[in-house]
Amino acid sequence: MYGDEATIRRILTELGDTWAVVGLSTNRHRAAYGVAQVLQRFGKRIVPVHPKAETVHGERGYPSLADIPFEVDVVDVFVNSELAGAVAEQAVVKGAGAVWFQLDVVDEAAYERTRAAGLDMVMDRCPAIEIPLLA
């Protein structure tokens, strides 16, 4: 288990409401699209991060975390496990408070590095499943 209930609750309720969603595009068939909608319904500001920098759910997209001109609280990662570690490192550099790896995204070394850098982290879980359980 990568992220206990207290960490999940803290990320979803205390760390802030700006979520950079890495891998979010206008493709309605991708999980990121629906998860971002759920996050918005629960009051989170989503920031699409995708090489195409598309506007999704009314929010302007950026090609990378480094291109976002404001602070982000949580980096939600929808890329495959081989790429996820690099995104976690970018989240540390960006100054995010937490990193969330989606279901089936697992990189134990990245988890350890991210935690050692002082960020909260959850891995192989989905905030769209977890956030309604907090109500």
Side-chain angles (χ1 to χ4, degrees):
M1 190 63 97
Y2 304 101
D4 57 39
E5 298 306 315
T7 301
I8 290 169
R9 180 173 291 279
R10 185 169 47 254
I11 292 172
L12 291 172
T13 64
E14 298 174 22
L15 283 185
D17 292 331
T18 302
W19 285 56
V21 183
V22 179
L24 175 57
S25 71
T26 57
N27 184 342
R28 295 172 184 263
H29 302 291
R30 301 290 306 227
Y33 191 88
V35 170
Q37 275 186 314
V38 171
L39 289 170
Q40 280 186 320
R41 274 200 308 270
F42 280 87
K44 308 299 182 190
R45 176 186 183 191
I46 57 110
V47 182
V49 179
H50 190 279
K52 292 181 182 177
E54 299 171 305
T55 296
V56 184
H57 301 310
E59 294 287 347
R60 176 184 171 191
Y62 297 89
S64 73
L65 287 174
D67 291 314
I68 300 172
F70 48 84
E71 292 182 10
V72 296
D73 303 306
V74 181
V75 176
D76 191 5
V77 182
F78 279 93
V79 300
N80 67 45
S81 297
E82 293 76 34
L83 302 174
V87 176
E89 291 169 11
Q90 294 164 19
V92 171
V93 171
K94 181 70 180 164
V99 175
W100 192 300
F101 282 7
Q102 284 293 322
L103 292 171
D104 299 322
V105 179
V106 176
D107 181 333
E108 292 181 11
Y111 181 85
E112 295 302 325
R113 287 192 312 271
T114 303
R115 296 290 297 130
L119 281 70
D120 279 332
M121 185 161 178
V122 172
M123 186 163 64
D124 195 24
R125 303 284 286 266
C126 180
I129 294 170
E130 303 295 336
I131 200 166
L133 301 176
L134 299 177

